[in-house]
Amino acid sequence: MTRRKKDNAQKLLEKDALIQQALDGLKNGIYQSERHAARELKIPASTLNHRINGRSSHSKIHEDTQALTPPEEAELVRWITQLTITGYSPTHALLRSMAETIRKGRVLQSNDSDYKDPLGTDWVRRFLLRHPQLKSVVGHRIDAVRIKDASKEVLERWFNAFEQTVKQYQIIKENIYNFDESGFSIGQIQATRVIINSRIRQKYQVNPGRQEWVSAIECICADGSSISPLIIFKGENLSKQWIPADIHSDWKLACNTKGWTSNQHGLEWLRHCFEPSTREKANGKPRLLICDGHASHVTGDFIAYCMYHNIVLLLLPPHTSHLTQPLDVAVFGPLKRYMAMELQELIQTEISRLQKAEWLGAYVRARARAFSTTNNCSGFSGAGLVPFRQSKVLRRVASSPTPPPRSATPETRTPFENPDLTSSPVDITLFREANLELTRVVDAQQPLSTPARQHVHRLAKATERLFARQSITEKEKDALRSVVGARKMRESGKRGVLKTKHVLTKAEIYSQVRRAEEATQARKKPTANSSIDPSLIAPPTRQKFSEGCESTYHVFGEWIGNEE
């Protein structure tokens, strides 16, 4: 498949983005001069000079020809930013749909009958070029509870607890550890980049498929070192055939019927892996062990052992390990990528099943690359722990918007000249004062000063953004109302179970529903000649739950008939 050539509009938008980057760099001191910025970003110095001297950008000149106005696009940027913070970033299709909603809403409000054509096929791409802060990426799935629970307030309490613990016990960097378990499915690997023949539209990567689970308990230190892991296989007893020849002699192996960690495995790892491996380096000083709140980490025996051996146990806040756990931040990700690379060579041989020894051999090689000093230190640094910089994490989570502080404004200024009028979010009190002053000037038929004219432009842009925000809110409300309405419809109606068949067509289901309803009516008003087949009706029985509720049954996701 050949790559599409860039059109002139895209080239100009990319050029505008580079020039804006140069202007921002000059303002922030990144570039020493115009020539320096032009040379670094590979843009004409004369063009940059013209822009500095007031010449409008290409996108500014063509704003009148855009499908959405600048205020409407600004509102879309705000919407995308909010969704990004909450973890529900929109797709290209959703962005296009929302833009069409804003556009149609504006046209209907103005009674414009000229609206015919939808947005162009390249509108999303050009919209992203006009707003360099937006970027199209491949999203990573994460549980919703992780986004909701990882609030700024929760993380601030965690960092305060960590800082106080380190100061209280005078724990040095060499004695700060983080441990966690990671699960792997033998036979299942992470997708990687591969080389294909573009003429053959085939992108599949074959793997043997999920076979069984294996867990690895790992631990790293803030000084960049790590201790030997504990590998837990699925099985009744350990077998010599599972152990490859190149495995390190100090690695620990275990097994259970699931391949998961348990309370006993957590305690055994603490006794036979962590404490002996870190005892000499600690030299009697306290060791800090950071872990999540998994059940195997917080048992009475586990905590008692830590207290007896001068190990300070510090638990991470729930559902925040993707931000605060060093292993998750910078080690486990590379580990799984390296595992995919190592196993890919085996899978290329078209084997139908991976053996435990083959998997463990690949893990030995992948771990040597992933658990490097650089990655281990990066994990603690990225989690904001060592060195202690909590801002690294706090700036990545959403916080409640606070109104900007009101600047001291000289009494000689009019309400139109207050610089806080351009803040984001806008100070509604100041905005209302300026509106009242504008109304007074217009009512008195006084000439508009330059600040008043500028406020008129602000009002116009604010109105457009409000209309766009209303369109966005209406579309989101309609989508939510549709989901809630569908759920109510499914939950309404009569409840029951269909007899005689387990596999039915839609027509048969509705036919039996009708016959069951007729049978119900017939029982209420018995007649001499009933045409209802009694075999379709189950004898009336009622089963009570402990709360006193009647039992109900689902058939193909619908509520059908009366409960029988």
Side-chain angles (χ1 to χ4, degrees):
M1 184 186 300
T2 58
R3 181 178 297 177
R4 180 177 56 184
K5 294 182 178 179
K6 295 180 180 179
D7 55 21
N8 291 331
Q10 181 179 355
K11 292 178 181 178
L12 290 172
L13 287 172
E14 291 177 350
K15 186 177 178 181
D16 280 347
L18 288 174
I19 293 173
Q20 187 59 47
Q21 183 179 344
L23 294 175
D24 294 339
L26 289 170
K27 182 179 179 180
N28 299 328
I30 299 176
Y31 304 117
Q32 301 172 359
S33 63
E34 296 175 21
R35 289 186 177 275
H36 180 211
R39 183 172 62 254
E40 290 294 326
L41 298 176
K42 298 180 181 180
I43 56 178
S46 58
T47 305
L48 179 59
N49 182 262
H50 290 325
R51 184 69 60 82
I52 293 174
N53 292 331
R55 181 178 292 182
S56 299
S57 64
H58 174 268
S59 57
K60 188 78 173 177
I61 295 172
H62 293 82
E63 282 181 354
D64 294 339
T65 63
Q66 292 175 191
L68 298 183
T69 63
E72 289 171 338
E73 290 200 351
E75 188 59 29
L76 271 181
V77 173
R78 183 205 63 81
W79 173 67
I80 294 171
T81 302
Q82 184 62 33
L83 290 181
T84 302
I85 292 173
T86 57
Y88 293 93
S89 301
T91 61
H92 284 215
L94 181 56
L95 173 59
R96 173 184 291 275
S97 175
M98 192 62 76
E100 285 282 14
T101 300
I102 294 173
R103 187 167 169 235
K104 289 179 181 179
R106 184 217 316 147
V107 170
L108 292 175
Q109 290 164 358
S110 61
N111 296 321
D112 187 353
S113 59
D114 294 334
Y115 175 78
K116 294 180 180 179
D117 299 328
L119 295 172
T121 56
D122 290 336
W123 182 86
V124 173
R125 178 169 55 88
R126 293 181 179 178
F127 173 81
L128 296 177
L129 288 172
R130 286 194 294 272
H131 302 279
Q133 70 271 38
L134 304 179
K135 188 178 181 182
S136 179
V137 299
V138 178
H140 296 280
R141 296 296 179 188
I142 189 171
D143 293 337
V145 69
R146 286 181 175 263
I147 297 295
K148 294 178 181 178
D149 288 2
S151 65
K152 189 174 182 179
E153 294 74 17
V154 169
L155 293 175
E156 284 178 341
R157 289 197 295 269
W158 152 250
F159 283 112
N160 289 337
F162 172 81
E163 189 176 26
Q164 291 173 6
T165 303
V166 171
K167 289 181 179 179
Q168 178 182 352
Y169 293 95
Q170 298 181 353
I171 300 175
I172 59 176
K173 178 176 69 173
E174 289 73 13
N175 288 333
I176 299 178
Y177 295 90
N178 168 230
F179 93 99
D180 192 22
E181 67 277 346
S182 183
F184 300 84
S185 176
I186 296 180
Q188 197 83 14
I189 66 171
Q190 179 176 294
T192 57
R193 289 188 177 273
V194 292
I195 300 173
I196 64 171
N197 187 332
S198 61
R199 297 179 180 178
I200 303 174
R201 299 178 180 271
Q202 173 69 274
K203 299 181 182 179
Y204 297 119
Q205 286 183 256
V206 176
N207 59 64
R210 179 172 178 172
Q211 297 169 8
E212 57 188 60
W213 197 255
V214 59
S215 299
I217 301 181
E218 294 282 5
C219 182
I220 59 174
C221 181
D223 64 2
S225 62
S226 62
I227 69 172
S228 300
L230 170 62
I231 309 298
I232 305 171
F233 287 110
K234 178 181 178 181
E236 293 290 341
N237 299 290
L238 285 173
S239 172
K240 181 181 178 182
Q241 295 179 341
W242 299 353
I243 305 173
D246 57 348
I247 190 173
H248 302 284
S249 58
D250 57 347
W251 282 31
K252 303 295 190 297
L253 303 173
C255 66
N256 62 18
T257 57
K258 300 285 187 180
W260 302 341
T261 57
S262 64
N263 296 353
Q264 185 63 30
H265 286 103
L267 182 59
E268 291 299 317
W269 173 85
L270 187 64
R271 289 175 174 173
H272 301 294
C273 297
F274 179 76
E275 206 283 325
S277 300
T278 60
R279 183 191 308 146
E280 183 177 352
K281 187 168 71 169
N283 194 22
K285 296 179 181 179
R287 288 162 283 180
L288 178 62
L289 185 58
I290 301 171
C291 62
D292 57 31
H294 192 273
S296 61
H297 309 160
V298 291
T299 62
D301 292 339
F302 193 98
I303 296 173
Y305 189 89
C306 289
M307 295 173 63
Y308 184 77
H309 290 84
N310 202 17
I311 301 171
V312 181
L313 189 63
L314 193 59
L315 299 183
L316 295 166
H319 309 124
T320 64
S321 60
H322 62 293
L323 296 172
T324 56
Q325 178 146 251
L327 279 166
D328 282 345
V329 170
V331 182
F332 281 158
L335 173 64
K336 296 201 174 184
R337 287 197 299 271
Y338 292 138
M339 277 295 292
M341 295 168 61
E342 293 292 340
L343 292 174
Q344 187 65 38
E345 296 184 8
L346 285 171
I347 294 173
Q348 290 295 123
T349 61
E350 301 183 16
I351 57 175
S352 60
R353 186 178 180 85
L354 282 172
Q355 296 181 350
K356 290 184 175 70
E358 294 170 338
W359 182 91
L360 186 54
Y363 188 83
V364 172
R365 296 186 295 272
R367 187 184 184 279
R369 300 173 64 183
F371 282 73
S372 63
T373 301
T374 301
N375 284 354
N376 296 343
C377 291
S378 296
F380 281 91
S381 175
L385 300 179
V386 182
F388 186 74
R389 292 175 184 169
Q390 57 181 335
S391 59
K392 274 190 172 183
V393 176
L394 295 179
R395 68 190 179 194
R396 297 170 58 190
V397 298
S399 58
S400 302
T402 56
R406 296 183 62 171
S407 59
T409 306
E411 295 181 359
T412 55
R413 286 189 175 182
T414 65
F416 308 122
E417 298 176 278
N418 196 314
D420 289 336
L421 284 174
T422 58
S423 63
S424 180
V426 67
D427 190 320
I428 190 62
T429 303
L430 297 178
F431 209 76
R432 185 172 182 273
E433 291 176 2
N435 293 344
L436 291 173
E437 179 64 17
L438 179 64
T439 303
R440 188 193 64 78
V441 171
V442 173
D443 290 343
Q445 297 184 353
Q446 297 177 0
L448 294 180
S449 62
T450 300
R453 292 193 186 97
Q454 291 174 347
H455 186 66
V456 171
H457 289 296
R458 279 196 294 266
L459 276 174
K461 291 181 179 179
T463 303
E464 288 190 49
R465 290 195 64 166
L466 284 175
F467 275 124
R469 185 172 301 189
Q470 180 186 6
S471 298
I472 292 173
T473 304
E474 288 292 330
K475 185 174 178 62
E476 290 177 334
K477 184 184 72 174
D478 291 342
L480 182 59
R481 183 179 293 170
S482 175
V483 173
V484 173
R487 289 185 177 184
K488 286 183 177 179
M489 184 175 294
R490 285 193 294 268
E491 293 175 2
S492 64
K494 300 178 180 180
R495 306 177 181 183
V497 60
L498 297 179
K499 299 290 184 178
T500 72
K501 289 186 179 180
H502 297 287
V503 180
L504 304 173
T505 65
K506 178 180 178 180
E508 291 172 331
I509 291 173
Y510 280 93
S511 174
Q512 291 211 28
V513 168
R514 288 193 298 270
R515 298 175 67 181
E517 290 176 348
E518 292 172 0
T520 302
Q521 296 299 325
R523 286 202 307 271
K524 292 180 179 179
K525 295 181 180 181
T527 59
N529 298 320
S530 176
S531 60
I532 305 300
D533 184 2
S535 64
L536 295 175
I537 309 301
T541 59
R542 294 189 179 275
Q543 177 183 0
K544 303 288 185 178
F545 289 112
S546 59
E547 296 83 3
C549 299
E550 296 178 1
S551 60
T552 58
Y553 303 88
H554 292 277
V555 178
F556 296 98
E558 301 288 342
W559 298 104
I560 298 178
N562 286 331
E563 183 197 38
E564 297 296 333

